[in-house]
Amino acid sequence: AQTVTQSQPEMSVQEAETVTLSCTYDTSESNYYLFWYKQPPSRQMILVIRQEAYKQQNATENRFSVNFQKAAKSFSLKISDSQLGDTAMYFCAFMKFNAGNMLTFGGGTRLMVKP
Amino acid sequence: DAGVIQSPRHEVTEMGQEVTLRCKPISGHNSLFWYRQTMMRGLELLIYFNNNVPIDDSGMPEDRFSAKMPNASFSTLKIQPSEPRDSAVYFCASSLRLAGVNEQFFGPGTRLTVL
């Protein structure tokens, strides 16, 4: 079974600064996908970014980028130029390749962006 | 597309009552997932369907919980009888199961309170 660990229950950052959220996972699979989801106070789960394990290049989506270290089983999320609207819970998630699209979530990190 | 639709958005009931949560997946999607979110346990997968067939219900906590998907556009999660410890936010998500990365799209959730 896969496990996903987010070791930072809460973090805060000043507006316009950069913050990095950590995620580690444990799996014996070689092919898989990793995701970061954002859950703002509205509760809606929003996909932020995804990474295919077979790709060496780190994924980037505007101000969001990841640092994917496959050997270390680490998948951190970097948010640049933080905005007040980035305040939310962030969940790291793991999906096995070709296994019914099932997601295993980490416990989440609550991010507060301060003005 | 309207996205994944869940109803009701909020439900307050008394212990012992039957509760039915409803979900309409995104049109064309063939996989559907029910999750439960609590402070103590985070996001847990309860059950998922592929082509209306339950594939994995190992996350369903007890026999009091049951889920059905009578057709491709509708699913229900029923709790009977409900208990205070069932209070949580219940999410439904859908995806299109194809080769490659298959993102899950989440509904807005149903906040259930059992008194």
Side-chain angles (χ1 to χ4, degrees):
Chain A
Q2 286 66 232
T3 59
V4 179
T5 303
Q6 294 179 246
S7 59
Q8 306 150 314
E10 293 186 358
M11 294 191 70
S12 64
V13 63
Q14 292 296 132
E15 195 175 8
E17 293 187 348
T18 295
V19 63
T20 299
L21 309 183
S22 300
C23 173
T24 58
Y25 57 95
D26 187 24
T27 184
S28 58
E29 303 289 326
S30 57
N31 290 328
Y32 50 87
Y33 309 106
L34 296 162
F35 302 83
W36 278 98
Y37 277 87
K38 169 185 177 181
Q39 187 180 39
S42 66
R43 289 203 316 254
Q44 182 71 49
M45 293 286 285
I46 303 164
L47 179 65
V48 174
I49 199 166
R50 64 187 179 205
Q51 174 81 42
E52 291 88 341
Y54 62 86
K55 289 186 177 179
Q56 293 185 342
Q57 186 173 6
N58 289 323
T60 299
E61 289 287 342
N62 301 314
R63 297 183 295 108
F64 299 87
S65 61
V66 298
N67 183 6
F68 173 50
Q69 301 290 328
K70 190 173 183 179
K73 296 181 182 176
S74 171
F75 183 61
S76 61
L77 174 69
K78 185 172 80 171
I79 306 174
S80 303
D81 186 25
S82 297
Q83 300 176 0
L84 297 178
D86 296 333
T87 292
M89 282 287 289
Y90 287 82
F91 292 95
C92 179
F94 175 99
M95 178 189 289
K96 283 170 58 176
F97 177 77
N98 201 26
N101 298 348
M102 290 175 60
L103 286 169
T104 300
F105 284 93
T109 296
R110 185 177 301 279
L111 176 66
M112 173 72 72
V113 179
K114 299 179 178 179
Chain B
D1 198 315
V4 176
I5 298 172
Q6 290 186 249
S7 64
R9 293 294 307 276
H10 303 273
E11 177 79 31
V12 180
T13 190
E14 293 187 347
M15 182 174 63
Q17 296 297 308
E18 176 181 301
V19 175
T20 298
L21 310 182
R22 297 173 176 81
C23 175
K24 176 178 170 55
I26 292 173
S27 177
H29 282 189
N30 57 3
S31 294
L32 184 139
F33 306 81
W34 283 102
Y35 292 90
R36 179 173 67 176
Q37 185 179 32
T38 61
M39 289 292 292
M40 291 296 294
R41 301 174 68 89
L43 271 161
E44 304 173 277
L45 176 66
L46 300 178
I47 185 171
Y48 89 93
F49 296 83
N50 191 46
N51 293 324
N52 311 338
V53 177
I55 303 300
D56 187 340
D57 65 354
S58 59
M60 296 285 264
E62 300 173 33
D63 291 345
R64 299 184 296 106
F65 286 69
S66 62
K68 294 182 179 180
M69 192 165 186
N71 56 62
S73 59
F74 184 66
S75 177
T76 60
L77 178 67
K78 183 179 294 186
I79 308 172
Q80 180 184 19
S82 58
E83 297 182 3
R85 60 193 169 117
D86 301 331
S87 297
V89 178
Y90 292 81
F91 287 99
C92 175
S94 72
S95 71
L96 178 60
R97 186 175 179 182
L98 295 172
V101 182
N102 303 298
E103 176 187 348
Q104 288 190 22
F105 293 83
F106 283 76
T110 295
R111 180 179 293 279
L112 173 64
T113 302
V114 183
L115 303 174

